[in-house]
């Protein structure tokens, strides 16, 4: 089945009691049993909910996975993967990734005795160099937030398999429309569904997708035991979002191409970080593992004076200054003080995330209007 058909029909079966074409919002905390243990597979809503089940089925389908699990946020999904580990275990993660993931690793899990080793994943040999017998998880994100670096998922998965290490890929930036890490050999895919999957900036949610039955059982056990489950309203919103994911992504990609080139040709703009440029170091891998380049990009002005950067950030009208990404409306963000403020400044700059970096989430408005907005703000 082709992507467009798959995304629209994923997880949606007419409601058995009424035939409703959209899965109802089952706003209930419990389910009545005829006699103890005599139920229809639903006992208590932390463990199972029909709206969540429809979404979890959809999650599996859109990532070509056998199983999907829904969580109350992207970070809760990440947290669930980390709970597979024991004290003494080691995790290899990218030195350039979402600030909240770094915060969870360094501020929460390090104190439980889990060790994190950060490497530049542009070169997979850097991963090989730090593997030990304690390495249990490789955490990759591609394209990375906010520098748009590319990790070769297939190459990393071969290393992971050879050493029996779980590979989890944060696929938030690409969305399943552009990339399917399980098909490239990853064991688990993680999404902040708050972003492209929901797509309308009205819900916070996370997802995990996997093929392995045992891994699904372990992750479901943690989901149920720790309780970071989404409510049925939120599941409904993401289910609805997924139905238009392919149409939205097509426009995000088209607008992304136009805006990346506009910025690159702008006299006042220095570097533009976008993986669709042929001279981007990850271009060859991105072209191989992705079906397009999306609407996320970052740039720096030639004028390194912070006032110039701040002026752009506060002068756009269509690009709203806000954290988050992946919604239909365009957003502008200052990673150093907003989304990535939890990473120590030295660490940030060492990894190439400068104080003057501006990140754009290009929405699906008319590209000419967006360019006009940037033109007025940059001058
Ligand atoms: C937003 C984001 C997360 C965290 O997801 P939440 O839904 O905000 O908890 C993780 N990874 C990436 C790449 C993100 O952009």
């Amino acid at each position: 089945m082709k992507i467009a058909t798959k995304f629209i029909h994923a997880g949606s079966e007419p409601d058995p009691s009424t035939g409703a074409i959209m899965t109802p919002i089952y706003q209930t905390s419990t389910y009545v049993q005829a006699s103890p243990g005599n139920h229809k597979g639903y006992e208590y809503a932390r463990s199972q909910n029909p709206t969540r089940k429809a979404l979890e089925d959809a999650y599996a389908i859109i990532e070509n996975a056998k199983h999907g699990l829904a969580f109350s946020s992207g970070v809760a999904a990440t947290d669930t993967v980390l709970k597979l580990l024991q004290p003494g275990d080691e995790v290899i993660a990218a030195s350039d990734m979402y600030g909240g993931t770094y915060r969870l690793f360094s501020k929460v899990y390090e104190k439980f005795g889990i060790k994190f080793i950060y490497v530049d994943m542009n070169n997979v040999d850097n991963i090989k160099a730090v593997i030990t017998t304690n390495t249990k998880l490789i955490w990759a994100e591609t394209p990375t937030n906010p520098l748009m670096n590319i990790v070769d998922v297939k190459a990393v998965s071969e290393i992971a398999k050879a050493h029996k290490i779980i590979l989890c890929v944060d696929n938030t930036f690409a969305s399943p429309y552009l990339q399917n890490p399980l098909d490239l050999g990853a064991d688990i895919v993680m999404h902040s569904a708050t972003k492209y999957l929901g797509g309308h900036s009205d819900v916070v949610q996370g997802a995990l997708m996997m093929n392995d039955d045992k891994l699904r059982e372990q992750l479901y056990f943690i989901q149920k035991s720790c309780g970071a489950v989404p409510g049925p309203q939120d599941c409904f919103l993401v289910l609805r979002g997924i139905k238009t994911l392919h149409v939205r992504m097509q426009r995000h990609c088209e607008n992304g191409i136009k805006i990346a080139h506009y910025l690159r040709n702008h006299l006042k703009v220095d570097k533009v970080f976008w993986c669709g440029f042929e001279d981007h170091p990850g271009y060859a891998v991105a072209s191989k593992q992705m079906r397009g380049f999306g609407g996320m990009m970052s740039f720096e002005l030639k004028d390194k004076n912070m006032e110039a950067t701040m002026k752009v950030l506060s002068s756009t009208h269509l690009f709203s200054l806000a954290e988050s990404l992946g919604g239909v409306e365009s957003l502008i963000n200052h990673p150093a003080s907003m989304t990535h403020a939890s990473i120590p400044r030295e660490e940030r700059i060492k990894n190439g995330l400068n104080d003057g970096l501006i990140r754009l989430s290009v929405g699906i408005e008319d590209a000419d209007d967006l360019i006009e907005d940037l033109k007025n703000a940059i001058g």
Side-chain angles (χ1 to χ4, degrees):
M1 202 185 281
K2 297 270 170 40
I3 269 185
T5 318
K6 206 162 73 172
F7 284 7
I8 289 175
H9 294 278
S12 299
E13 292 294 336
D15 181 54
S17 54
T18 63
I21 193 159
M22 282 302 292
T23 305
I25 299 166
Y26 283 90
Q27 194 75 52
T28 188
S29 60
T30 192
Y31 309 87
V32 176
Q33 308 193 7
S35 57
N38 181 1
H39 54 75
K40 301 186 163 87
Y42 294 95
E43 297 152 284
Y44 183 62
R46 176 160 31 77
S47 308
Q48 314 96 356
N49 175 284
T51 319
R52 194 174 98 209
K53 167 87 170 60
L55 176 62
E56 291 183 332
D57 290 349
Y59 277 158
I61 291 168
I62 62 176
E63 278 292 6
N64 302 332
K66 198 165 164 198
H67 309 291
L69 292 170
F71 296 89
S72 53
S73 69
V75 164
T78 305
D79 178 70
T80 302
V81 174
L82 287 172
K83 284 176 177 149
L84 293 169
L85 305 176
Q86 312 271 351
D89 285 352
E90 295 179 9
V91 180
I92 302 173
S95 47
D96 162 31
M97 63 178 181
Y98 174 63
T101 306
Y102 176 83
R103 180 173 58 196
L104 179 67
F105 289 3
S106 61
K107 297 278 162 59
V108 179
Y109 276 95
E110 253 174 38
K111 70 171 190 273
F112 291 118
I114 292 168
K115 196 172 153 200
F116 296 89
I117 298 110
Y118 300 96
V119 300
D120 174 356
M121 287 199 185
N122 285 319
N123 180 349
V124 293
D125 289 339
N126 294 337
I127 299 177
K128 275 190 205 153
V130 295
I131 289 176
T132 74
T133 49
N134 294 327
T135 309
K136 295 289 154 58
L137 175 69
I138 298 176
W139 187 273
E141 186 180 306
T142 183
T144 61
N145 181 357
L147 289 167
M148 307 302 296
N149 286 314
I150 299 295
V151 178
D152 186 337
V153 177
K154 191 155 182 286
V156 177
S157 81
E158 280 159 14
I159 298 170
K161 278 190 177 55
H163 293 85
K164 297 196 164 43
I165 300 168
I166 294 173
L167 171 61
C168 182
V169 176
D170 180 339
N171 201 27
T172 301
F173 261 41
S175 91
Y177 179 75
L178 296 180
Q179 171 175 281
N180 301 112
L182 297 179
D183 292 347
L184 300 165
D187 300 291
I188 307 173
V189 174
M190 175 264 162
H191 277 280
S192 167
T194 313
K195 317 296 168 56
Y196 287 107
L197 298 181
H200 295 76
S201 310
D202 53 10
V203 61
V204 170
Q205 203 181 117
L208 295 177
M209 296 83 161
M210 72 291 316
N211 285 321
D212 188 77
D213 296 340
K214 196 165 146 247
L215 202 48
R216 190 263 172 202
E217 274 320 300
Q218 289 172 320
L219 292 165
Y220 172 67
F221 178 80
I222 299 167
Q223 181 198 42
K224 175 171 80 170
S225 306
C226 300
V229 291
Q233 296 259 3
D234 287 356
C235 292
F236 176 87
L237 288 172
V238 180
L239 259 176
R240 186 168 69 169
I242 289 171
K243 287 181 189 288
T244 56
L245 179 62
H246 59 293
V247 189
R248 288 185 282 111
M249 287 310 295
Q250 281 160 12
R251 182 60 67 84
H252 283 298
C253 289
E254 286 165 18
N255 285 357
I257 293 171
K258 289 182 188 160
I259 292 190
H261 285 92
Y262 167 75
L263 288 172
R264 178 169 248 198
N265 293 325
H266 198 296
L267 290 173
K268 291 190 181 171
V269 172
D270 185 4
K271 269 184 248 148
V272 181
F273 301 87
W274 180 65
C275 57
F277 290 131
E278 282 178 32
D279 56 3
H280 183 286
Y283 180 77
V285 175
S287 307
K288 200 173 59 180
Q289 71 188 15
M290 298 172 76
R291 292 180 281 265
F293 304 107
M296 292 304 300
M297 65 194 68
S298 300
F299 68 99
E300 284 176 33
L301 296 174
K302 282 185 184 147
D303 183 349
K304 301 298 173 197
N305 191 326
M306 277 312 283
E307 270 170 42
T309 301
M310 289 302 160
K311 183 175 162 289
V312 172
L313 286 161
S314 51
S315 308
T316 52
H317 297 288
L318 291 177
F319 282 89
S320 302
L321 179 64
E323 298 198 6
S324 201
L325 58 107
V328 290
E329 59 287 284
S330 294
L331 300 180
I332 190 166
N333 164 44
H334 183 231
S337 70
M338 295 167 71
T339 45
H340 291 67
S342 52
I343 303 175
R345 186 167 183 273
E346 267 166 52
E347 194 78 13
R348 228 188 343 96
I349 290 175
K350 199 176 77 196
N351 299 325
L353 202 173
N354 293 322
D355 291 337
L357 192 80
I358 297 174
R359 189 187 79 183
L360 298 180
S361 170
V362 176
I364 63 170
E365 300 95 333
D366 188 281
D368 292 340
D369 289 335
L370 294 178
I371 287 172
E372 191 63 27
D373 194 36
L374 290 171
K375 195 176 188 175
N376 291 335
I378 300 170

